[in-house]
Amino acid sequence: QIHPSKFQTMSSSFSTSPESLASSPGSTLLRVPTDNGSNKIRSLRWGILGCGRVSHDFCLAVHSAFGIRDASAPADDKTAPPVIVACASASSASSASSFASRHSIPRSYGSYSALLADPDVDVVYVGTVHRTRLRDATAVISAGKHLVLEKPFALNYEDAVAIVAKAREAGVFCMEGMWTRFFPVLRHVAENVLSDGEEGLGGIVQITSDFHFNTEDSEKYPDSPLYSFKLAGGAAM
């Protein structure tokens, strides 16, 4: 459990509001990049760290929302959809190559360090097992790359504080891939239902919430990392 005072300390790093992020000391926004010299916007180029199930889901989501694009495809004056340019697996180069073929990713690497050395990667999605979250986040930050960490952000409060501090010191964007916070309905609830306005409920005295998902779409018990204590699996994660 995280004491409320500690949560308040961390909350400014994970605000959904760009305005709040921009005003938070040491925070870095992930901005649409521009080509050197032309000032024309270009696609944000993603690298995928880890070629497991959650990375598969992330790639499907990106391609479903924006289509499968080439990094060199021209963008218009206002939008430049993101593109996945590379992936890496620590287990084997063949695993990364198979993942790349499945998701139409042009480059694959058999080590994380090789992907992090790729100058064409702007931001890294970290979809590795929970246990290595601090190690992998530190490696990405040290390489000067922006990063999005799959849930959970860290295994404990101390690791979370360390990751945020490293990201702020390096001046890179860092956040947890908590996709539900970006749902329009949740923004409506936060801005209206839970406010003191006309639609608001007034002072909230208690909130009860449950979260469930079907584990049958992953490896069966007890083989899945979701259940492995050694890999920091379990209901709390």
Side-chain angles (χ1 to χ4, degrees):
Q1 291 186 344
I2 297 177
H3 190 274
S5 62
K6 291 186 175 182
F7 179 80
Q8 290 297 327
T9 302
M10 297 171 62
S11 63
S12 63
S13 302
F14 310 122
S15 169
T16 56
S17 167
E19 293 76 16
S20 298
L21 271 173
S23 63
S24 179
S27 294
T28 299
L29 288 176
L30 185 56
R31 303 184 185 280
V32 176
T34 58
D35 283 321
N36 292 333
S38 68
N39 288 327
K40 288 187 176 181
I41 62 172
R42 62 167 175 79
S43 294
L44 194 64
R45 302 168 301 188
W46 286 82
I48 308 298
L49 206 69
C51 296
R53 183 177 63 87
V54 292
S55 293
H56 165 73
D57 292 345
F58 179 84
C59 291
L60 288 181
V62 171
H63 292 156
S64 175
F66 302 103
I68 299 175
R69 302 178 64 258
D70 188 284
S72 61
D76 60 37
D77 293 335
K78 296 182 179 180
T79 61
V83 60
I84 301 172
V85 298
C87 64
S89 170
S91 59
S92 68
S94 61
S95 175
S97 178
S98 176
F99 186 91
S101 297
R102 184 177 185 182
H103 294 286
S104 301
I105 300 173
R107 293 193 294 280
S108 63
Y109 299 103
S111 71
Y112 296 160
S113 59
L115 181 141
L116 296 179
D118 189 331
D120 290 334
V121 173
D122 300 311
V123 55
V124 176
Y125 169 79
V126 179
T128 53
V129 294
H130 304 162
R131 183 185 64 184
T132 62
R133 195 68 85 237
L134 176 62
R135 182 202 70 186
D136 296 337
T138 300
V140 176
I141 294 169
S142 297
K145 309 289 189 184
H146 304 293
L147 70 158
V148 172
L149 296 168
E150 181 52 61
K151 308 174 296 296
F153 185 83
L155 300 188
N156 51 55
Y157 170 75
E158 288 74 20
D159 285 359
V161 169
I163 292 171
V164 170
K166 292 175 187 293
R168 286 178 168 173
E169 182 179 2
V172 298
F173 175 87
C174 175
M175 70 167 286
E176 182 179 40
M178 187 60 71
W179 43 272
T180 50
R181 64 188 298 177
F182 297 100
F183 284 3
V185 66
L186 291 187
R187 296 203 64 168
H188 174 77
V189 169
E191 296 171 1
N192 298 286
V193 179
L194 299 183
S195 70
D196 293 326
E198 294 183 1
E199 298 182 52
L201 298 176
I204 307 298
V205 295
Q206 179 177 340
I207 295 178
T208 302
S209 177
D210 295 291
F211 175 76
H212 306 273
F213 68 97
N214 184 8
T215 59
E216 290 298 313
D217 66 347
S218 61
E219 301 90 340
K220 305 299 181 181
Y221 178 85
D223 300 321
S224 171
L226 289 172
Y227 308 111
S228 173
F229 179 78
K230 292 182 178 180
L231 297 179
M237 292 297 177

